[in-house]
Amino acid sequence: MPAFPSVRPRRLRATPALRDLVRETLLHPDDFVWPLFISEKISARQPVSSMPGVAQLTVEEAAAEAAAARAEGVRAVLLFGIPAAKDEHASGAYADDGVVQRAVRAIKRAAPDLVVITDVCLCEYTSHGHCGVVEREAGGHARILNDQSVDLLVRAAVSHARAGADVVAPSDMMDGRVGAIRAALDHAGFADTVILSYAAKFASSFYGPFREAAEGAPQFGDRRTYQMDSANAEEALREVALDLAEGADLVMVKPGLAYLDILRRVKERFQRPTAVYHVSGEYSMLKAAAAQGWLDERATTLEIMTAFRRAGADLIVTYAARDVIRWLREI
Ligand code: PBG
């Protein structure tokens, strides 16, 4: 006999109906963002070996996939581009006929009410794979120049808006880029273009598979002079505060699973629409374990998505978005 016979939490777990009735956190298809990789270098879909179920697509394939996903209930896509040629100044990132710009136009034609979000960064477009402009110093050192990088990011964001992007999402972690992008968008007549800032983005090993998918691995060094140290939570809050002050409409925490504490604190402190990025490594771990039969892919994925919502995420960016939306419909 329990010490307090009338206190029995299990009462509310007794049947599926009771559990449904008292469930605190629900997943809804409207809250997922599906990332797409669009390559100028291919003539047909190219599977990404480290991310089962993910492929690089041509512009035409991306438009078709986006329309199909929209029909299944996907509300938003996030676009990454792989240009035919890279250079020191990432010129493909802000070319009006660049791969992302063309993909935005094609997707908007194929699925006009799909929310099109573009990743604004330079790493897929620079020959060295860094997210900014590199200055090489004597002795082999290299520095990432902040303000010169911001100038190029601004050009990329405006060209995405001109192509028809609803939301631009700077993921580079340079200082001051949100304010600069906001001012430039307003000046160019895009006052309604939304900024989703990768505000708290950590230097993470979980991005490994993405670098195969987006062909944007740094050719030397790492990203630790611009992405955050995974040990720092206070700093993440300062970064989010700055991006909001500069005009970010939505803020993102990235990666997800290993940073749920950050997500919770960002949501509680700022009470703004907050996104989380379930990144490539998190996705690939799940896929690998599921392929071995060690984890139930569907149950585990839904558990993780629920954890994101419970921790405070309003939006979830995940390569599993299409699967999740299908599973939610089946429940
Ligand atoms: C571009 C960018 C990266 C990711 C999103 N935007 C790679 C990086 O910062 O190295 C990672 C996404 C993922 O791992 O799924 N800077």
Side-chain angles (χ1 to χ4, degrees), residues 1-13:
M1 193 65 163
F4 304 100
S6 61
V7 180
R8 289 182 180 273
R10 288 185 54 200
R11 234 180 248 135
L12 288 175
R13 297 177 206 142

Side-chain angles (χ1 to χ4, degrees), residues 35 37 51 78 80 119-124 129-131 169-173 198 201-211 214 216-218 223 226-227 252 254-255 277-283 317 319:
F37 298 99
M51 300 176 70
L78 170 61
F80 294 95
D119 186 88
V120 175
C121 198
L122 305 182
C123 57
E124 299 98 346
H130 276 288
C131 305
S171 70
D172 52 282
M173 290 299 281
Y198 287 70
K201 176 171 174 179
F202 291 89
S204 171
S205 303
F206 287 104
Y207 306 151
F210 174 93
R211 294 182 183 165
R223 304 212 198 285
Y226 40 105
Q227 298 180 352
M252 183 141 70
K254 175 187 175 191
Y277 201 138
H278 180 236
V279 302
S280 56
E282 303 177 68
Y283 172 84
V317 180
Y319 304 97

Side-chain angles (χ1 to χ4, degrees), residues 226-255:
Y226 40 105
Q227 298 180 352
M228 268 186 298
D229 186 328
S230 64
N232 295 354
E234 301 285 340
E235 186 187 358
L237 298 176
R238 289 197 297 274
E239 281 280 5
V240 172
L242 273 173
D243 284 6
L244 287 169
E246 290 178 31
D249 303 289
L250 301 153
V251 289
M252 183 141 70
V253 173
K254 175 187 175 191

